[in-house]
Amino acid sequence: MVQDFKGDTLAQQTRGTLYVVALPIGNPKDITSRALEILSKVDVVAAEDTRTFNELAKQLQIAPSKVVAHHEHNEEESAKGLLALLLGGQTVAITTDAGTPNLSDPGYRLLREAFENGVRVVPLPGASALTTAVSAAPIGGRKLFFGGFA
């Protein structure tokens, strides 16, 4: 059984949970153990590109139950279908090709619908190109400002 941040098991919840799962930027080994566990246990993985996600899953030796496409060209329709699954008690993990969903990647519509319908949303931390770059920069990060992607 997968446990969420409060220690509840997925089976104890009456509605599904939407997991926002950050994926590695670059090296697949940078994925967190928690992300591996969630991706292996959820009912559905909503991936920006199913081919890219399935290749990553193969490299990471995980076998998700079901992988569906959720990208900028089908986001509105896909969000409706995923919300129906969540309201029916299923668990969904949303991912992007690399990095974190909803940060210049698909995810906003589904997250908005989940919040508006009382679905639990659990973010999983992961790769961040910005923090990774700043952590190794000799300029330091005390006066860092990020105003979005150009």
Side-chain angles (χ1 to χ4, degrees):
M1 275 283 163
V2 175
Q3 292 186 339
D4 69 9
F5 66 99
K6 291 182 179 179
D8 296 333
T9 61
L10 295 177
Q12 292 173 329
Q13 301 167 15
T14 56
R15 289 187 180 204
T17 298
L18 175 61
Y19 293 92
V20 182
V21 182
L23 295 182
I25 299 172
N27 190 329
K29 293 180 182 178
D30 289 339
I31 195 162
T32 68
S33 58
R34 186 169 172 222
L36 286 172
E37 179 183 16
I38 294 297
L39 292 171
S40 296
K41 302 285 185 180
V42 293
D43 296 307
V44 177
V45 174
E48 183 177 13
D49 184 327
T50 57
R51 294 166 298 187
T52 301
F53 179 80
N54 285 330
E55 179 58 34
L56 177 65
K58 183 178 174 183
Q59 290 175 14
L60 297 171
Q61 300 178 342
I62 59 172
S65 299
K66 183 176 182 179
V67 180
V68 300
H70 183 77
H71 48 74
E72 65 179 324
H73 302 293
N74 78 344
E75 188 174 8
E76 190 170 337
E77 175 108 5
S78 175
K80 290 177 187 175
L82 293 168
L83 179 63
L85 295 175
L86 289 161
L87 293 175
Q90 293 194 36
T91 54
V92 175
I94 183 173
T95 68
T96 187
D97 289 344
T100 306
N102 199 31
L103 299 179
S104 290
D105 288 308
Y108 171 74
R109 284 185 176 95
L110 179 57
L111 285 164
R112 183 185 64 214
E113 292 291 330
F115 277 110
E116 288 176 0
N117 286 277
V119 172
R120 179 186 280 174
V121 176
V122 178
L124 277 69
S128 166
L130 177 66
T131 56
T132 300
V134 171
S135 74
I139 60 171
R142 294 180 182 208
K143 294 183 181 182
L144 174 69
F145 170 77
F146 177 69
F149 295 100

